[in-house]
């Protein structure tokens, strides 16, 4: 099985996996996120088109309001 | 050396006096972080906020009753100069947009993200990271509710840093003690990063 890590959890990887699909798999339904793949920040407008490479290290941070 | 800094940690005054720090948002996080940075020895700050001081800000922000109705950046700039008159404070008193970031903060070494809304935090972090990928941005994330000090931490992802509990929001209400802790976590981290540069 091909894998990636998402916030240090091992997750199954499929060819053509987008950030949008990955967020669904992870049940990350929060509207405001920061996503980094192998150190590169993926902008919100790229979530549907950016393809997550095999063996990637993905970090997702939920942004909370308040400042 | 200015006598203000005689009790500083050895070495920090020299480093901080040459540093430039940006603060996006001058509310609970930004106003408290700015004060700590100037007390520590930062003299060059760029502060941005479009808002005026309201009475409801006084439960957590570094403003006083006499400031109500005045622009936050102007009041904060004066207050910082009352701590150290040698400070050079640049102010931006309009609502920040993506297109402003390079012009307003292009010369700072580190940016403190101190916005209120999660949507604003997102575009600022995205914009900063695409324009200045190796320059640190220190974000406040999770400052709502009461206590739970044990949940406060710094999370690092490359040059992005998140201070807070990562899970509480302002909808739970905001308590001065917790907001000030996180503001000072941001300030403390900025000082540490500048010292490590």
């Amino acid at each position: 099985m091909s894998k990636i890590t998402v916030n240090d959890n091992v997750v199954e990887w499929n060819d053509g996996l987008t950030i949008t699909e990955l967020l669904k798999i992870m049940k990350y339904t929060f509207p405001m996120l920061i996503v980094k793949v192998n150190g590169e920040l993926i902008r919100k407008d790229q979530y549907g088109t950016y393809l997550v490479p095999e063996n990637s290290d993905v970090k997702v941070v939920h942004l909370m309001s308040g400042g | 050396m200015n006598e203000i800094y005689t009790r500083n940690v050895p070495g920090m005054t020299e480093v901080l006096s040459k540093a430039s720090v940006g603060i996006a948002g001058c509310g609970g996080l930004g106003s408290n972080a700015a004060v700590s940075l100037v007390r520590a020895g930062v003299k060059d700050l760029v502060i941005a906020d479009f808002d005026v001081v309201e009475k409801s800000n006084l439960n957590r922000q570094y403003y006083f009753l006499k400031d109500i109705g005045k622009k936050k950046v102007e009041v904060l700039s004066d207050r910082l100069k009352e701590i150290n008159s040698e400070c050079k404070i640049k102010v931006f008193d309009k609502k920040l947009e993506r297109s402003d970031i390079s012009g307003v903060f292009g010369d700072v070494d580190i940016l403190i993200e101190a916005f209120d809304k999660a949507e604003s935090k997102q575009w600022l972090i995205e914009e900063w990271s695409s324009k200045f990928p190796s320059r640190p941005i220190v974000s406040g994330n999770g400052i709502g509710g009461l206590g739970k000090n044990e949940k406060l931490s710094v999370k690092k992802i490359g040059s992005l840093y998140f201070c807070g509990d990562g899970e509480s929001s302002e909808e739970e209400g905001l308590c001065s003690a917790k907001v000030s802790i996180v503001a000072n976590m941001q300030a403390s981290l900025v000082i540490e990063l500048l010292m490590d540069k």
Side-chain angles (χ1 to χ4, degrees):
Chain A
M1 183 181 89
S2 299
K3 291 170 184 174
I4 55 173
T5 59
V6 183
N7 290 352
D8 300 323
N9 301 303
V10 176
V11 176
E12 192 174 340
W13 175 86
N14 299 303
D15 199 11
L17 181 68
T18 64
I19 299 291
T20 304
E21 286 158 356
L22 179 61
L23 296 176
K24 255 186 227 161
I25 292 166
M26 298 303 294
K27 297 190 171 66
Y28 290 161
T29 55
F30 225 74
M32 292 303 148
L33 303 167
I34 289 294
V35 177
K36 275 195 147 193
V37 178
N38 300 323
E40 182 196 350
L41 192 137
I42 311 301
R43 296 169 74 114
K44 193 176 188 181
D45 56 14
Q46 300 173 291
Y47 288 179
T49 51
Y50 178 88
L51 299 179
V52 181
E54 193 177 359
N55 300 316
S56 288
D57 180 26
V58 182
K59 301 284 188 198
V60 181
V61 176
H62 297 72
L63 295 175
M64 310 305 298
S65 62
Chain B
M1 185 175 70
N2 193 319
E3 201 180 336
I4 296 171
Y5 305 115
T6 49
R7 298 292 304 272
N8 265 4
V9 175
M12 68 184 269
T13 309
E14 294 74 13
V15 172
L16 298 188
S17 69
K18 291 176 195 141
S20 177
V21 179
I23 299 183
C26 297
L29 292 174
S31 64
N32 286 298
V35 166
S36 287
L37 288 172
V38 168
R39 288 196 196 283
V42 175
K43 291 181 185 164
D44 183 354
L45 282 167
V46 181
I47 59 174
D49 200 301
F50 68 96
D51 223 347
V52 296
V53 178
E54 293 174 28
K55 205 164 187 180
S56 63
N57 299 150
L58 301 190
N59 80 328
R60 67 196 186 283
Q61 306 185 16
Y62 210 102
Y63 302 110
F64 306 146
L65 281 170
K66 64 177 181 179
D67 303 329
I68 289 167
K70 296 178 185 164
K71 284 194 168 176
K72 287 183 179 177
V73 286
E74 282 166 17
V75 174
L76 185 59
S77 174
D78 289 346
R79 192 134 300 145
L80 298 173
K81 286 175 191 162
E82 285 169 20
I83 298 167
N84 183 351
S85 58
E86 295 169 3
C87 282
K88 291 189 178 65
I89 315 292
K90 281 187 203 143
V91 304
F92 184 83
D93 67 357
K94 293 188 279 294
K95 194 164 182 147
L96 278 165
E97 308 282 348
R98 272 182 194 263
S99 55
D100 296 319
I101 299 308
S102 293
V104 175
F105 295 118
D107 293 331
V108 304
D109 299 305
I110 297 186
L111 182 65
I112 287 184
E113 180 285 304
F115 278 161
D116 201 11
K117 294 186 170 65
E119 294 92 324
S120 309
K121 290 172 183 287
Q122 186 182 48
W123 71 249
L124 178 59
I125 294 167
E126 286 187 355
E127 190 66 19
W128 181 264
S129 299
S130 72
K131 290 279 176 356
F132 310 110
S134 60
R135 255 193 265 178
I137 177 167
V138 177
S139 173
N141 195 34
I143 64 168
L146 291 173
K148 296 181 183 157
N149 287 353
E150 70 283 359
K151 288 199 168 178
L152 298 175
S153 68
V154 177
K155 189 181 175 90
K156 177 184 189 309
I157 310 172
S159 57
L160 303 184
Y161 296 83
F162 297 92
C163 298
D165 63 28
E167 60 185 36
S168 67
S169 90
E170 64 180 350
E171 282 143 35
E172 298 172 41
L174 294 161
C175 167
S176 60
K178 186 167 181 181
V179 174
S180 299
I181 290 174
V182 177
N184 281 294
M185 286 174 79
Q186 290 180 284
S188 184
L189 178 60
V190 164
I191 293 164
E192 205 177 3
L193 291 168
L194 290 168
M195 294 297 288
D196 288 344
K197 249 178 77 175

